[in-house]
Amino acid sequence: MEKVFNAFEIVNDFSRQLFLIKTPSDFDRGIKSAFKSILPDIELYVYFRYQWEENTFEIVSSNYLKDIDSIPLARPSLEELLSGIIKKNKTIENNDMSLQRKSDISTAINTSLSGSDIVLPLAPINEATGILYAYSRTPQYFTSQKKETIKLLGNMISRSWNIINYQAIQIKSHKKAELEVATQKNLMKEIFDYLPINIFTKNKEGKFVYINKNAEDSLGIKVDNSIGKTADEVYGEDIAKKLEADDMEVRATGQPKLSNHEIEINGKKRYLFTGKKIITTADKTELLIGFSIDVSKNIQVSREIEEQKKFFQQIFNTVPSYIFIKDGSGNFQFVNKAFAELMNIEEHRILSNGLSNFTEIVVNEALTAKTDNQVLNFGKTVEYEESIIFKDEMERWYHTTKKPLPDKDGNLRILGVSIDITDRKKYSDELLKAKQTKELFLANMSHEIRTPINGIVGMVNLLEEIPATEEQKKYLNAIKTSSKNLRVIINDILDLSAIESGNIKFEQIGFNLKTFFNTLISSFNYAAKQKGISITLNFDPYIDQVVIGDPVRLNQVVSNLIGNAVKFTKTGFVKVYALKLSEVKGIGHFQFIVDDSGIGIDEDKIQKIFENFEQGNVAINRKYGGTGLGLAIVKKLVEAQEGSIEVKSKTGKGTKFTVNLRYEIGSEDDLDDQKKNKPRLESLDADFDLSKHKILLVEDNEVNLLYTRKILNNWNCTPEEAKNGLIALEKLKENDYDLILMDVRMPLMDGFEATKFIRSNFEEPKSNTPIIALTANAIKGDDQKCIDAGMNDYLSKPFQPETLKNKIVGNMELEGFTRRINEKSKEELNSKSAIDLTYLRNMSGNDKKFIIDMVQSFVKQAPNDIRSIWDNYLKNKFDELGNLIHKIKPSVTFMGIHDINELIVQIEEDIKSEKTEQLKSRLEKIEEIYQRALTELKDQFDL
């Protein structure tokens, strides 16, 4: 009994020691000591600690094993074995290991073949905390008393470990909290130190408790030297009085205060914006916390901005232009002095009331509103001319430019600049009148001079059909040559006038360069042969191709150069070169050279030969004739096509002209298209008989009547005749005609008016009677005027009988002749236009620049809209599709694409009601109509 008592006494003593243990290492030493003192025969013990959160085990204490991995059993298997013991919660005993082993854990831990062991699950308060294993070499060692003793030890060990573990967790938690507090404190210090504002706190005595680092840099003070000192000690008395006045107010009222201070530190002025407030800390300490921001730079910038505003105001008030700014509602936000003086209204009254309330001036308010809307709605710069009528009824004109001017929020305003152009407009109007007078004079001159020439040439043509003597033929040739030369002079003058006025236009049709030059050279072979000089054509191997350009104008340029070369070369040669220098992105760079061995040009005259009415010298004019306009026209034609012309020459040696032009490379299809647009005349050489056809000849000139009548008589036709348009209308009322040959310029009613009346007022078939214009005018554009008036074709006088025959065949259905109609034109006439620009024209006051801008914008945006529509449809984004369809409504309205309006309504209804079955077919229709509209707009506006 004494021994047992001593054991329990030792256990109690061990229990007291356990409560003094603070660390795991002390815990391990204490357990080893207890086993050695209480149960000295225990050869091996292992305390497995159970981690129930992770369902894992670890060895906390053992007198033999270092850790759980020291056990020669895979960890998953070992933990599964230990978990089974915890779940069963039963003690396992092996009283004699030489006979049997009741536990697999014994096998895993102990390899001894004799002795006894025990496996004891530990649950001090009905919660599993671990497993205690013990082994003794003595069989039957674990008596009931020893089992109670070891069980008591195990529970004490378990409780002690829980306490140690809890203490460790608490210590760790406290350290973590302390670390977080320290980290937070350091973080706040870092933040406060590097904030771009000055932060400080003061105690009740007004001494600084804390100052951040920015204050050191901003205010030029040392933090370490300032803590514990008053503002008087840090800044000096004068500055301290300003700053501490706020401190006293805040402490007295208990209310925060914001203020501005201007102070001088280290000889430098500073502007501070400050804020102060009283706070109470957790330990009931009262502190004044404050901040200040150095706004010196802001003040400086504000002053500079104010200075700039004054500077620009002075500039705006100095310039003679009238400058204004309006907001999105049309209210004036700024006007310069010149604008106010022009309106004779004070600036502040304009800014307050605008201009509409002042009756002393009359402004076109509709034009103002329209141009304002163009800037605000489309973000485009608008330029236009406007007039203002002042109280003395004096009207002055201004060129106004309005530009979009975004404000700081992105809202558009209008910046307007107006310049007085009254005098310029007056001169411009006079210049325009002079130009119109000049053009009218040229047209009249053309008609009045060409008409007798046409009569002379016509009579000569008729006389050539009558047998004549050699002397008579000589006189006829002289008359014919003189008439031809006079016509060339007139044509040169008219061409020069058209180029200088900008009215000349260049065709863009396909033609083959090799064919062109072969034909051109052949026309000069006879003249060269007559003079005994050689004329040769040298081709580049790559010149045999189709290009897109104006063959008529190229012919005018090159034939003029070749004509001059033949004209001024007595002996020797004329060489013509057609070269292709390069091709980039479908554009070919071509060079055409005319080289001769003629008389050459004096060096001091080379730069003048391209001037109007200039030739090499007076002697050349007397000897060779000419107006001196040919090369001037050539140079202007070349440069109008963005080309260049150069000349090299030596007197008595010859001259070399080099022309550089660029043409788009075409194909044979371009030639075919060109041919399709012309009537194809079959059997043109057959007997031409008009005896079955009735023709009305409308002509006021007796010579031209005689000439045309004679030609028609030769074709078995006696035309009915009318001297003006009124007589022609009367005859058409009474008779039907197969064709009308209509002169353009006649007294009482000209050919244009008569044709328009026929097309508009006569019933079919008379209203559709073919009309061919006969005119002596040679100004570019007359042919289009004839077509616009409703005429079918155009014939310039003087004409050859064969030319008139071609025109008649091309416009009448004649037996034995086939007229091929341009199928494309017929299709275009029968098709309904996809666009109608009536609304756009009415809305813009027929402002052509605005209309072109709108059309260009639509043509650019429309393909993107179509792509977005299909993209949203394919991705089933029907809400976005509906928004996009709604968005294109204004564009469709502006372009007058009426066929789309109903489709848009249907699509919007489909999307709203979530019926998408017909969406695809309707979108396909929209795309088809869009493509037609784009094609028409591009054709109509040459885009």
Side-chain angles (χ1 to χ4, degrees):
M1 288 296 293
E2 182 68 26
K3 189 172 183 181
V4 173
F5 176 79
N6 289 339
F8 277 100
E9 190 177 291
I10 294 172
V11 169
N12 287 332
D13 183 59
F14 172 64
S15 176
R16 287 192 298 271
Q17 293 178 18
L18 285 178
F19 282 106
L20 299 175
I21 292 174
K22 302 296 183 185
T23 64
S25 58
D26 291 342
F27 175 80
D28 183 51
R29 284 194 296 271
I31 292 177
K32 288 177 180 177
S33 175
F35 271 102
K36 192 173 183 180
S37 301
I38 301 170
L39 299 169
D41 294 326
I42 295 297
E43 190 79 18
L44 167 66
Y45 80 88
V46 181
Y47 171 47
F48 293 95
R49 178 65 180 173
Y50 176 53
Q51 305 288 342
W52 59 269
E53 297 93 340
E54 294 88 14
N55 195 29
T56 60
F57 293 85
E58 64 173 329
I59 294 177
V60 175
S61 180
S62 174
N63 61 349
Y64 181 73
L65 297 175
K66 183 178 180 182
D67 53 41
I68 199 167
D69 292 328
S70 302
I71 299 173
L73 183 64
R75 182 144 186 173
S77 301
L78 177 60
E79 291 189 338
E80 183 180 357
L81 183 61
L82 295 171
S83 295
I85 296 171
I86 289 289
K87 288 177 182 178
K88 292 177 181 179
N89 195 24
K90 288 185 179 182
T91 302
I92 304 172
E93 297 180 52
N94 289 307
N95 289 325
D96 190 347
M97 294 175 66
S98 62
L99 300 177
Q100 63 172 349
R101 290 177 184 262
K102 295 181 181 180
S103 171
D104 294 332
I105 192 67
S106 301
T107 306
I109 296 176
N110 194 350
T111 58
S112 300
L113 301 177
S114 61
S116 57
D117 64 3
I118 187 170
V119 180
L120 186 67
L122 302 177
I125 51 174
N126 297 323
E127 183 178 344
T129 60
I131 297 171
L132 180 61
Y133 173 81
Y135 164 76
S136 174
R137 292 185 182 276
T138 305
Q140 306 296 330
Y141 178 74
F142 295 99
T143 63
S144 59
Q145 184 178 352
K146 288 181 179 174
K147 282 194 288 185
E148 287 299 323
T149 302
I150 199 168
K151 185 175 181 181
L152 180 60
L153 276 174
N155 287 332
M156 290 173 62
I157 291 170
S158 181
R159 286 194 184 98
S160 179
W161 178 256
N162 284 345
I163 293 171
I164 292 172
N165 194 46
Y166 175 76
Q167 290 174 341
I169 292 172
Q170 289 298 312
I171 292 170
K172 185 177 181 182
S173 177
H174 284 308
K175 287 184 177 180
K176 183 179 180 182
E178 290 174 357
L179 180 62
E180 287 180 354
V181 169
T183 302
Q184 190 72 16
K185 188 175 180 181
N186 289 334
L187 176 62
M188 294 304 294
K189 184 178 183 305
E190 289 292 319
I191 292 173
F192 286 160
D193 279 346
Y194 287 95
L195 278 176
I197 61 175
N198 310 321
I199 300 174
F200 58 87
T201 58
K202 294 181 181 179
N203 59 20
K204 280 187 174 183
E205 289 75 34
K207 295 181 178 181
F208 286 104
V209 177
Y210 169 78
I211 301 175
N212 73 336
K213 190 174 185 302
N214 189 77
E216 185 174 278
D217 299 333
S218 174
L219 301 178
I221 62 175
K222 294 294 182 181
V223 172
D224 295 339
N225 297 336
S226 302
I227 300 298
K229 293 181 180 180
T230 64
D232 192 351
E233 295 172 306
V234 174
Y235 297 116
E237 183 179 356
D238 292 339
I239 296 175
K241 282 182 179 180
K242 294 181 180 180
L243 301 180
E244 289 184 339
D246 292 343
D247 295 4
M248 295 170 63
E249 182 179 340
V250 171
R251 292 184 190 279
T253 62
Q255 297 298 318
K257 179 175 176 62
L258 300 175
S259 56
N260 291 290
H261 293 289
E262 179 182 342
I263 62 176
E264 185 173 330
I265 300 175
N266 298 329
K268 185 176 180 181
K269 278 189 177 181
R270 297 178 188 271
Y271 298 89
L272 300 178
F273 173 67
T274 65
K276 295 177 181 179
K277 180 182 179 181
I278 296 295
I279 64 169
T280 304
T281 64
D283 59 358
K284 308 299 182 181
T285 302
E286 184 183 283
L287 291 176
L288 183 145
I289 183 169
F291 73 86
S292 66
I293 302 174
D294 189 339
V295 294
S296 304
K297 290 184 179 179
N298 302 50
I299 296 294
Q300 183 64 29
V301 169
S302 298
R303 289 178 177 175
E304 289 177 358
I305 291 174
E306 194 62 33
E307 289 296 323
Q308 280 189 334
K309 285 175 65 176
K310 290 180 181 178
F311 175 70
F312 286 119
Q313 183 78 41
Q314 289 175 347
I315 292 177
F316 290 152
N317 288 336
T318 303
V319 296
S321 301
Y322 310 106
I323 304 172
F324 59 88
I325 296 175
K326 295 199 285 187
D327 62 18
S329 301
N331 301 315
F332 285 95
Q333 293 183 325
F334 168 82
V335 294
N336 71 337
K337 185 177 180 181
F339 187 93
E341 290 177 350
L342 173 69
M343 301 300 170
N344 196 25
I345 307 169
E346 294 89 343
E347 292 179 35
H348 67 89
R349 294 180 65 196
I350 296 176
L351 300 182
S352 301
N353 304 315
L355 300 176
S356 58
N357 295 327
F358 299 99
T359 57
E360 295 182 352
I361 58 172
V362 179
V363 180
N364 189 337
E365 294 184 5
L367 178 60
T368 299
K370 185 188 81 172
T371 52
D372 284 357
N373 288 334
Q374 290 173 6
V375 175
L376 295 172
N377 295 337
F378 302 102
K380 292 185 176 180
T381 299
V382 177
E383 293 188 40
Y384 64 98
E385 293 181 1
E386 62 178 332
S387 67
I388 298 178
I389 301 175
F390 296 88
K391 63 179 180 179
D392 55 1
E393 296 187 357
M394 179 184 70
E395 182 182 31
R396 297 197 69 81
W397 282 87
Y398 301 89
H399 180 276
T400 300
T401 302
K402 292 180 178 178
K403 297 174 68 70
L405 181 68
D407 63 15
K408 59 184 178 59
D409 298 320
N411 301 314
L412 285 186
R413 298 175 295 174
I414 301 168
L415 170 63
V417 180
S418 296
I419 301 173
D420 192 325
I421 58 167
T422 305
D423 294 337
R424 189 180 77 187
K425 188 167 180 63
K426 177 183 176 182
Y427 299 142
S428 177
D429 290 343
E430 291 175 355
L431 184 62
L432 179 61
K433 289 178 182 177
K435 181 181 176 183
Q436 292 171 342
T437 302
K438 174 185 173 184
E439 291 180 353
L440 182 61
F441 167 75
L442 289 172
N444 289 332
M445 183 194 74
S446 166
H447 182 80
E448 297 303 327
I449 297 179
R450 287 168 65 93
T451 295
I453 293 175
N454 296 341
I456 293 170
V457 173
M459 294 301 103
V460 170
N461 288 337
L462 294 178
L463 287 173
E464 285 180 335
E465 297 179 5
I466 302 173
T469 65
E470 290 300 319
E471 187 175 3
Q472 289 171 333
K473 289 180 180 179
K474 180 179 178 182
Y475 295 151
L476 287 175
N477 284 333
I479 295 170
K480 198 169 185 178
T481 300
S482 297
S483 301
K484 182 178 179 182
N485 290 339
L486 188 55
R487 279 168 54 200
V488 169
I489 294 172
I490 294 171
N491 288 339
D492 281 350
I493 293 173
L494 293 175
D495 276 339
L496 183 64
S497 174
I499 294 170
E500 289 180 342
S501 64
N503 291 331
I504 192 165
K505 293 184 179 179
F506 295 92
E507 301 289 344
Q508 293 296 311
I509 60 176
F511 64 99
N512 184 285
L513 280 172
K514 185 174 182 179
T515 304
F516 170 87
F517 274 97
N518 277 328
T519 304
L520 181 62
I521 291 299
S522 65
S523 66
F524 288 96
N525 283 336
Y526 179 77
K529 187 176 180 181
Q530 287 291 100
K531 295 189 70 173
I533 60 177
S534 66
I535 182 168
T536 58
L537 175 61
N538 302 278
F539 274 118
D540 187 303
Y542 301 103
I543 207 73
D544 186 12
Q545 64 183 143
V546 175
V547 297
I548 308 297
D550 193 329
V552 173
R553 294 304 177 186
L554 180 60
N555 180 81
Q556 194 172 353
V557 169
V558 181
S559 63
N560 195 300
L561 297 177
I562 297 175
N564 282 347
V566 172
K567 179 179 179 181
F568 295 116
T569 301
K570 290 182 179 180
T571 60
F573 62 84
V574 173
K575 296 179 181 179
V576 180
Y577 299 86
L579 311 173
K580 180 180 180 182
L581 301 184
S582 64
E583 179 179 335
V584 178
K585 295 182 179 179
I587 303 297
H589 178 190
F590 297 93
Q591 191 172 84
F592 311 122
I593 301 172
V594 178
D595 190 12
D596 66 58
S597 58
I599 62 175
I601 305 169
D602 294 341
E603 186 174 350
D604 60 338
K605 298 291 184 181
I606 285 181
Q607 299 303 320
K608 293 185 178 182
I609 60 171
F610 292 115
E611 296 177 8
N612 298 345
F613 306 104
E614 282 289 340
Q615 289 186 320
N617 54 55
V618 178
I620 289 177
N621 180 267
R622 286 198 301 266
K623 185 173 182 179
Y624 295 98
T627 61
L629 287 175
L631 289 177
I633 293 172
V634 165
K635 187 174 191 295
K636 286 179 169 63
L637 285 174
V638 170
E639 291 178 347
Q641 298 176 84
E642 298 182 356
S644 64
I645 182 169
E646 300 172 358
V647 59
K648 294 181 180 179
S649 183
K650 286 188 177 181
T651 305
K653 298 291 185 179
T655 304
K656 180 180 179 180
F657 285 92
T658 302
V659 175
N660 292 284
L661 286 171
R662 284 177 168 79
Y663 290 116
E664 179 185 348
I665 305 301
S667 64
E668 293 298 322
D669 291 339
D670 295 307
L671 288 177
D672 292 339
D673 288 341
Q674 183 185 356
K675 293 172 184 175
K676 287 177 185 176
N677 291 332
K678 294 183 178 180
R680 186 182 67 195
L681 308 180
E682 297 177 358
S683 306
L684 191 58
D685 295 326
D687 292 336
F688 195 52
D689 186 2
L690 296 177
S691 58
K692 297 180 181 180
H693 297 279
K694 199 169 182 180
I695 295 177
L696 176 62
L697 175 58
V698 188
E699 173 66 73
D700 67 320
N701 183 276
E702 291 294 338
V703 176
N704 290 335
L705 267 175
L706 176 63
Y707 177 60
T708 309
R709 185 193 306 129
K710 175 60 178 174
I711 294 175
L712 294 174
N713 289 342
N714 291 342
W715 297 331
N716 301 319
C717 174
T718 301
E720 293 195 17
E721 298 174 4
K723 291 294 183 72
N724 58 56
L726 287 175
I727 298 173
L729 296 180
E730 291 299 323
K731 286 185 174 291
L732 185 58
K733 288 180 184 177
E734 303 297 329
N735 303 282
D736 293 328
Y737 297 101
D738 299 306
L739 178 69
I740 300 175
L741 298 176
M742 181 81 74
D743 186 23
V744 171
R745 288 177 174 267
M746 296 177 292
L748 298 181
M749 179 182 280
D750 64 23
F752 295 128
E753 294 177 272
T755 301
K756 290 177 181 177
F757 191 91
I758 292 170
R759 299 304 187 213
S760 302
N761 297 282
F762 280 83
E763 299 292 333
E764 293 184 3
K766 289 187 178 182
S767 64
N768 294 327
T769 304
I771 301 176
I772 298 176
L774 304 177
T775 178
N777 287 0
I779 295 177
K780 181 75 173 178
D782 275 358
D783 52 350
Q784 190 59 46
K785 289 180 182 177
C786 295
I787 300 301
D788 292 342
M791 297 173 177
N792 298 76
D793 215 332
Y794 172 99
L795 185 59
S796 181
K797 296 180 283 188
F799 51 81
Q800 296 296 320
E802 194 67 20
T803 307
L804 177 60
K805 182 194 290 186
N806 288 339
K807 295 291 184 180
I808 292 174
V809 172
N811 290 278
M812 287 177 58
E813 298 292 343
L814 298 177
E815 185 178 349
F817 295 87
T818 302
R819 179 165 63 97
R820 180 176 179 179
I821 300 174
N822 182 353
E823 294 176 2
K824 180 179 179 182
S825 299
K826 184 188 289 185
E827 178 185 332
E828 289 176 352
L829 289 171
N830 292 334
S831 65
K832 180 183 177 183
S833 177
I835 60 172
D836 177 10
L837 301 180
T838 303
Y839 173 79
L840 185 59
R841 291 191 178 100
N842 292 337
M843 184 272 294
S844 66
N846 203 25
D847 185 335
K848 292 183 179 179
K849 186 176 185 302
F850 175 70
I851 292 171
I852 291 173
D853 286 345
M854 290 290 289
V855 169
Q856 288 176 335
S857 177
F858 176 82
V859 169
K860 182 179 179 181
Q861 182 61 34
N864 297 330
D865 289 339
I866 292 296
R867 281 193 295 270
S868 297
I869 285 172
W870 281 115
D871 183 55
N872 286 320
Y873 171 78
L874 294 174
K875 293 178 179 178
N876 294 327
K877 295 181 178 179
F878 297 122
D879 288 338
E880 294 182 23
L881 173 61
N883 292 335
L884 188 56
I885 289 293
H886 184 77
K887 180 182 173 184
I888 68 173
K889 274 184 178 180
S891 300
V892 169
T893 302
F894 282 133
M895 297 300 115
I897 312 175
H898 304 307
D899 292 343
I900 286 182
N901 287 328
E902 185 176 350
L903 287 168
I904 288 177
V905 174
Q906 291 172 346
I907 290 172
E908 287 182 327
E909 289 177 354
D910 287 347
I911 293 174
K912 191 179 294 183
S913 58
E914 298 183 352
K915 296 178 181 179
T916 59
E917 299 82 9
Q918 298 187 52
L919 265 182
K920 184 178 180 183
S921 61
R922 285 173 176 157
L923 292 177
E924 287 173 345
K925 289 179 182 177
I926 283 183
E927 182 177 16
E928 177 191 346
I929 297 169
Y930 247 62
Q931 295 300 340
R932 282 173 47 211
L934 286 172
T935 300
E936 289 184 31
L937 289 170
K938 289 177 181 178
D939 290 343
Q940 185 171 335
F941 290 89
D942 293 328
L943 299 178

